[in-house]
Amino acid sequence: MKYIDEFRDPQLAAGLARAIAHEAQPRRDYAFMEFCGGHTHAISRYGLADLLPANLRMIHGPGCPVCVLPIGRIDMAIGLALARPEVIVCTYGDCLRVPASAGLSLHKAKAQGADVRMVYSASDALALAQREPGREVVFFAIGFETTTPPTAVLIRQAQALQLDNFSVICNHVLTPPAIDALLSSAAHGAGDAPRLDGIVGPAHVSTVIGSAPYEFVAERHRTPVVIAGFEPLDVMQAILMLVRQVNEGRCAVENEFTRAVSRDGNRKAQALMAAVFEPREAFEWRGLGRLPRSALRIRAAYARWDAEAKFGLEDRPVADHKACECAAILRGAKRPTDCALFATACTPQTPLGACMVSSEGACAAHFTYGRFRDSVAQAPDGTSTAATA
């Protein structure tokens, strides 16, 4: 299949692994962050970490929209659904099981009588509002720049149809401010922020915004960026490109994913986003804190379809589970296996943190693809020794 099979060729992967090992300088340590959860899953699924030299570490980033969403935003939707029987709250499947306050989730709120429904696309929510004119349908919209244009289309359609029983809770967040916050924290030695030598830039987000918005990373933070696709050879090639930039002392934005990403991105989608949304002054991210101009809200011209304004919803900060390390994992300070709950109390069947719920979460990736399991080696004296993968 074009653009799939050729990017999963094991012989080419082995060749790239040899090139990386050859060019990685033995006296230097390399720390690269894959910002996007899709890359985290590709690395775990295909065992790419096993192909890299010991002095090259891949660090998981906050590029999972479900994971970075703070508990207070989910509480907002749960409170609305429980308090207003006429309201149907619709959202994507991953959001339903994210733990919120008081032991609740959207899924558990449904069990208590709230009308909460899963949708496969934003348009499903609008269609439901058309089928149920006597109910209020609220779409709980999440995602980075990738899923923002469909939500904008939805609001425009609701306006064109004068569909007053439809509205949106907007949780769309922006990638560049999050990267800026991570690198700024590392540069100032703030907290537990890890040192980063380079960033594997997101794929789908970049098809929308292009490569230009990352240029500040190279110019201001002196950190290389390579935008990569999600196939294993994409990721391996991007890592090789980052190694070369570090070795040569260069800081540039390079595009491995040229088959889908351009410098300017999708200008039609960008214009649509700008027409319907505007930046919030600040927005709370799990793991990163309150970041300025890092999320979007619905413009006043579309206030009739803004659920926060329509129902007078308040965004109240809520602390995460004390034993859950999701926040530290999202900012790259810890790995999933550093969490005492990981693969014990917290599993995909019984998630205690968003990183284990989401299909793009780092904890789910490690659990699903067995990266945490002990590999048993035989010691010379015949005893067994365990090494964590």
Side-chain angles (χ1 to χ4, degrees), residues 8-9 12 16 21 37 47 72 104 111 126 144 155 166 189 199 204 220 262 271 310-311 340 352 372 379:
R8 297 180 181 178
D9 187 312
L12 291 177
L16 284 169
L104 284 175
L126 189 73
F144 288 91
I155 293 171
F166 176 80
I199 290 176
H204 293 158
R220 190 192 316 157
S262 65
K310 185 175 187 178
F311 296 102
L352 296 178
F372 69 96

Side-chain angles (χ1 to χ4, degrees), residues 130-389:
Q130 290 177 288
R131 293 197 305 270
E132 299 272 2
R135 303 287 300 278
E136 289 282 349
V137 176
V138 177
F139 178 53
F140 189 72
I142 68 160
F144 288 91
E145 294 91 340
T146 312
T147 57
T148 305
T151 304
V153 169
L154 204 65
I155 293 171
R156 278 276 187 88
Q157 289 177 333
Q159 181 191 48
L161 294 168
Q162 292 297 293
L163 202 60
D164 287 332
N165 68 322
F166 176 80
S167 58
V168 173
I169 297 177
C170 179
N171 301 292
H172 288 298
V173 290
L174 304 173
T175 303
I179 295 177
D180 188 28
L182 283 165
L183 293 173
S184 295
S185 295
H188 294 96
D192 51 8
R195 173 186 62 84
L196 298 176
D197 298 308
I199 290 176
V200 177
H204 293 158
V205 163
S206 301
T207 64
V208 176
I209 68 174
S211 64
Y214 306 109
E215 290 172 359
F216 79 94
V217 178
E219 295 167 2
R220 190 192 316 157
H221 292 290
R222 304 303 299 160
T223 302
V225 177
V226 176
I227 297 165
F230 288 128
E231 295 303 324
L233 296 192
D234 287 317
V235 179
M236 293 293 286
Q237 178 65 30
I239 292 170
L240 178 59
M241 292 166 72
L242 284 173
V243 168
R244 288 173 174 168
Q245 283 205 52
V246 171
N247 289 350
E248 295 166 8
R250 292 189 296 114
C251 294
V253 177
E254 295 182 329
N255 181 14
E256 181 277 336
F257 199 31
T258 54
R259 62 190 186 275
V261 173
S262 65
R263 184 179 184 276
D264 295 329
N266 186 330
R267 292 193 170 182
K268 185 175 181 179
Q270 294 167 22
L272 180 61
M273 290 162 56
V276 177
F277 301 108
E278 63 184 2
R280 295 179 186 264
E281 290 184 10
F283 190 80
E284 185 75 21
W285 291 56
R286 181 184 277 116
L288 300 181
R290 195 165 178 81
L291 303 183
R293 301 182 69 82
S294 63
L296 299 173
R297 65 184 177 193
I298 299 170
R299 289 187 179 275
Y302 299 93
R304 284 170 61 185
W305 298 278
D306 183 349
E308 293 182 61
K310 185 175 187 178
F311 296 102
L313 304 179
E314 294 185 19
D315 185 358
R316 298 175 180 173
V318 180
D320 287 337
H321 191 296
K322 290 183 179 180
C324 177
E325 297 286 4
C326 269
I329 291 167
L330 286 166
R331 60 178 176 266
K334 292 188 177 182
R335 303 183 188 194
T337 48
D338 294 329
C339 181
L341 302 178
F342 178 78
T344 55
C346 185
T347 69
Q349 290 72 40
T350 58
L352 296 178
C355 295
M356 186 63 86
V357 174
S358 172
S359 59
E360 293 188 355
C363 294
H366 275 246
F367 190 98
T368 301
Y369 300 113
R371 306 308 302 163
F372 69 96
R373 296 192 179 99
D374 288 342
S375 58
V376 179
Q378 200 71 16
D381 61 359
T383 60
S384 294
T385 59
T388 302

